[in-house]
Amino acid sequence: QVQLVESGGGLVQPGGSLRLSCAASGSIALYVMGWYRQAPGKQRVLVAQITTDGTTIYADSVKGRFTISGDNAKNTVSLQMDDLKPEDTAIYYCKSRPRYSMSENWGQGTQVTVSS
């Protein structure tokens, strides 16, 4: 049973940066990994995704500002967030999906607040 633990959230000013980490109990090389976020009163949406071959997908709202990356040696997927905006405020969740499966595992989430 894969376990995901997010960390790195916090309070930052607009224009600032944060780096979120998602530590997996298993090898991330076997999973499609993604970061999602859910703002108050909004649905959970995809922020970024990285496949087992390194292919990445980003939401239009974060392209050029966020970067997803994986460290197979540490079984960790990260989300580097630069030029943060107030609209980036949300709970950020890490998700994993086995390469050839429709099953999903979610982390507990980490709060990101962008405010002056």
Side-chain angles (χ1 to χ4, degrees), residues 64-81:
R65 300 189 298 120
F66 291 11
T67 303
I68 188 171
S69 62
D71 187 332
N72 291 341
K74 297 181 179 180
N75 291 326
T76 299
V77 62
S78 299
L79 184 69
Q80 177 65 42
M81 305 185 295

Side-chain angles (χ1 to χ4, degrees), residues 8-30:
L11 173 64
V12 297
Q13 295 184 336
S17 297
L18 281 175
R19 186 175 180 86
L20 305 183
S21 295
C22 173
S25 60
S27 176
I28 63 170
L30 305 177

Side-chain angles (χ1 to χ4, degrees), residues 1-5 23-26 105:
Q1 192 80 27
V2 65
Q3 182 176 344
L4 304 174
V5 180
S25 60
N105 290 293

Side-chain angles (χ1 to χ4, degrees), residues 32 47 70 93 111:
V32 176
V47 175
Y93 298 89
Q111 177 71 49

Side-chain angles (χ1 to χ4, degrees), residues 3-115:
Q3 182 176 344
L4 304 174
V5 180
E6 302 99 331
S7 62
L11 173 64
V12 297
Q13 295 184 336
S17 297
L18 281 175
R19 186 175 180 86
L20 305 183
S21 295
C22 173
S25 60
S27 176
I28 63 170
L30 305 177
Y31 298 89
V32 176
M33 305 295 297
W35 283 97
Y36 292 71
R37 69 187 182 189
Q38 187 167 19
K42 306 294 184 180
Q43 293 200 335
R44 189 174 300 183
V45 297
L46 174 71
V47 175
Q49 175 186 286
I50 185 167
T51 66
T52 54
D53 66 357
T55 302
T56 57
I57 295 174
Y58 295 94
D60 288 340
S61 59
V62 307
K63 284 183 178 178
R65 300 189 298 120
F66 291 11
T67 303
I68 188 171
S69 62
D71 187 332
N72 291 341
K74 297 181 179 180
N75 291 326
T76 299
V77 62
S78 299
L79 184 69
Q80 177 65 42
M81 305 185 295
D82 298 319
D83 191 24
L84 284 161
K85 304 176 180 180
E87 51 262 44
D88 295 320
T89 296
I91 300 175
Y92 284 70
Y93 298 89
C94 181
K95 187 190 80 173
S96 68
R97 176 177 64 80
R99 180 64 178 84
Y100 301 107
S101 174
M102 297 302 295
S103 65
E104 298 178 346
N105 290 293
W106 293 86
Q108 82 290 344
T110 185
Q111 177 71 49
V112 172
T113 302
V114 185
S115 176

